[in-house]
Amino acid sequence: MEPTSSFLKVLGKIESRIKRMDEQASVVRSFYTEGKGNEAYEHALKLEENSERTVLLTRVLPAYTGCRTAH
Protein backbone atom coordinates (compact mmCIF):
# COMPACT_ATOMS: atom_id res chain seq x y z
CA MET A 1 0.00 0.00 0.00
CA GLU A 2 3.01 2.29 0.27
CA PRO A 3 3.12 3.10 -3.47
CA THR A 4 -0.54 4.14 -3.41
CA SER A 5 0.04 6.35 -0.38
CA SER A 6 3.02 8.05 -2.05
CA PHE A 7 1.08 8.29 -5.31
CA LEU A 8 -1.84 10.04 -3.63
CA LYS A 9 0.48 12.36 -1.75
CA VAL A 10 2.24 13.47 -4.93
CA LEU A 11 -1.06 13.74 -6.79
CA GLY A 12 -2.39 15.97 -4.01
CA LYS A 13 0.66 18.21 -4.34
CA ILE A 14 0.07 18.46 -8.08
CA GLU A 15 -3.59 19.38 -7.59
CA SER A 16 -2.64 22.00 -5.01
CA ARG A 17 -0.05 23.53 -7.31
CA ILE A 18 -2.52 23.65 -10.21
CA LYS A 19 -4.99 25.55 -8.04
CA ARG A 20 -2.21 27.94 -7.01
CA MET A 21 -1.25 28.40 -10.67
CA ASP A 22 -4.85 29.28 -11.53
CA GLU A 23 -4.86 31.91 -8.79
CA GLN A 24 -1.49 33.25 -9.90
CA ALA A 25 -2.66 33.48 -13.53
CA SER A 26 -5.65 35.55 -12.40
CA VAL A 27 -3.35 37.91 -10.52
CA VAL A 28 -1.07 38.28 -13.54
CA ARG A 29 -4.08 39.01 -15.77
CA SER A 30 -5.39 41.57 -13.29
CA PHE A 31 -2.09 43.41 -13.04
CA TYR A 32 -1.67 43.39 -16.81
CA THR A 33 -5.16 44.68 -17.58
CA GLU A 34 -4.68 47.41 -14.98
CA GLY A 35 -1.58 48.57 -16.83
CA LYS A 36 0.78 47.44 -14.10
CA GLY A 37 3.38 45.83 -16.33
CA ASN A 38 6.12 45.53 -13.72
CA GLU A 39 3.85 43.77 -11.25
CA ALA A 40 2.49 41.52 -14.01
CA TYR A 41 6.05 40.62 -14.94
CA GLU A 42 7.07 39.79 -11.37
CA HIS A 43 4.01 37.63 -10.79
CA ALA A 44 4.40 35.98 -14.19
CA LEU A 45 7.87 34.87 -13.10
CA LYS A 46 6.39 33.34 -9.96
CA LEU A 47 3.75 31.60 -12.07
CA GLU A 48 6.46 30.21 -14.35
CA GLU A 49 8.44 28.89 -11.38
CA ASN A 50 5.37 27.18 -9.95
CA SER A 51 4.58 25.75 -13.38
CA GLU A 52 8.06 24.24 -13.68
CA ARG A 53 7.80 22.66 -10.23
CA THR A 54 4.41 21.23 -11.14
CA VAL A 55 5.82 19.71 -14.33
CA LEU A 56 8.58 18.04 -12.34
CA LEU A 57 6.01 16.46 -10.03
CA THR A 58 3.89 15.24 -12.93
CA ARG A 59 6.97 13.64 -14.51
CA VAL A 60 7.62 11.47 -11.45
CA LEU A 61 3.95 10.63 -10.81
CA PRO A 62 3.91 7.45 -12.97
CA ALA A 63 6.76 6.02 -10.90
CA TYR A 64 4.58 6.20 -7.80
CA THR A 65 1.86 3.98 -9.28
CA GLY A 66 3.73 0.87 -8.22
CA CYS A 67 3.82 -0.41 -11.78
CA ARG A 68 6.96 -2.49 -12.27
CA THR A 69 7.59 -1.04 -15.72
CA ALA A 70 7.33 2.61 -14.62
CA HIS A 71 10.49 4.59 -15.28
Side-chain angles (χ1 to χ4, degrees):
M1 191 68 109
E2 181 62 31
T4 303
S5 175
S6 296
F7 178 84
L8 292 176
K9 184 176 180 181
V10 172
L11 185 58
K13 286 181 182 181
I14 292 168
E15 292 170 330
S16 176
R17 286 188 172 279
I18 290 171
K19 287 178 187 175
R20 190 177 318 149
M21 287 171 51
D22 184 50
E23 293 167 0
Q24 288 174 318
S26 293
V27 169
V28 171
R29 179 183 299 277
S30 177
F31 278 130
Y32 186 79
T33 57
E34 292 172 8
K36 299 178 180 178
N38 290 336
E39 289 87 348
Y41 174 78
E42 291 297 323
H43 285 273
L45 288 176
K46 292 177 185 177
L47 174 59
E48 184 272 335
E49 180 181 350
N50 194 24
S51 173
E52 292 292 336
R53 290 175 186 251
T54 304
V55 167
L56 292 175
L57 284 173
T58 60
R59 286 183 183 158
V60 300
L61 186 63
Y64 286 103
T65 61
C67 182
R68 290 178 282 166
T69 60
H71 299 282

